Amino acid sequence: MKYSSIVLDKKEYELISELIHPITESANLMNSCISRLKQELKTAKLIDETESFPEDVIRLNSIVDVNTPFGIMKIQLVLPENSNSEQKRISILTPMGSALIGYAETDRIMWEFPNGVQEVEILKVSHSQF
């Protein structure tokens, strides 16, 4: 991991916290991913608007090239209401979305997906449109 903890914009941190707060613990995979994200939020490095946000860190609306066990994917990380699988817009509340937020280029992450724990590698992060 490039940084000692995930890095988040303070406003995005508050938004994500509000989204996941009402989700309760269970054995469900989605809730398991949200539980892990909740844990990561506790130690996240927060960047406020007066600081420069690192360009290589994934935030909401970032476009990410990620290497998965199924090949390289290009996705955009978005809020749930903006998700669209055909346009490769992935919700922050999916296993992939919750795995990526706050990580940076070259990070490798072990995360639980529907087919088990898998490693993903962040190849490139950009903040422009598809």
Side-chain angles (χ1 to χ4, degrees):
M1 182 173 194
K2 187 180 284 188
Y3 300 96
S4 59
S5 60
I6 65 171
V7 178
L8 295 172
D9 173 87
K10 190 173 182 179
K11 288 181 182 179
E12 288 182 4
Y13 166 87
E14 291 167 359
L15 180 62
I16 293 166
S17 293
E18 287 178 24
L19 279 173
I20 66 175
H21 177 72
I23 300 173
T24 58
E25 309 290 323
S26 79
N28 174 303
L29 172 64
M30 189 58 242
N31 288 354
S32 172
C33 291
I34 297 302
S35 292
R36 181 163 169 194
L37 180 57
K38 283 180 180 180
Q39 291 302 312
E40 290 196 340
L41 289 178
K42 290 178 182 178
T43 61
K45 178 181 182 335
L46 302 182
I47 308 287
D48 68 31
E49 57 197 37
T50 63
E51 299 176 75
S52 178
F53 195 86
E55 286 293 317
D56 64 342
V57 173
I58 299 169
R59 60 191 303 182
L60 288 172
N61 298 312
S62 292
I63 297 167
V64 184
D65 292 344
V66 61
N67 190 10
T68 73
F70 311 105
I72 295 174
M73 301 168 43
K74 183 182 211 89
I75 61 170
Q76 184 173 27
L77 188 63
V78 297
L79 291 171
E81 61 268 20
N82 298 323
S83 66
N84 182 315
S85 59
E86 290 177 8
Q87 295 177 346
K88 301 196 188 287
R89 293 184 176 163
I90 307 299
S91 167
I92 182 76
L93 298 183
T94 63
M96 180 65 78
S98 63
L100 295 176
I101 190 74
Y103 283 93
E105 283 180 11
T106 73
D107 282 346
R108 292 175 180 264
I109 308 148
M110 296 301 291
W111 203 264
E112 187 171 353
F113 292 96
N115 57 343
V117 175
Q118 302 287 328
E119 181 181 74
V120 295
E121 178 185 11
I122 300 166
L123 302 174
K124 183 178 178 186
V125 177
S126 61
H127 302 285
S128 60
Q129 294 295 321
F130 261 111

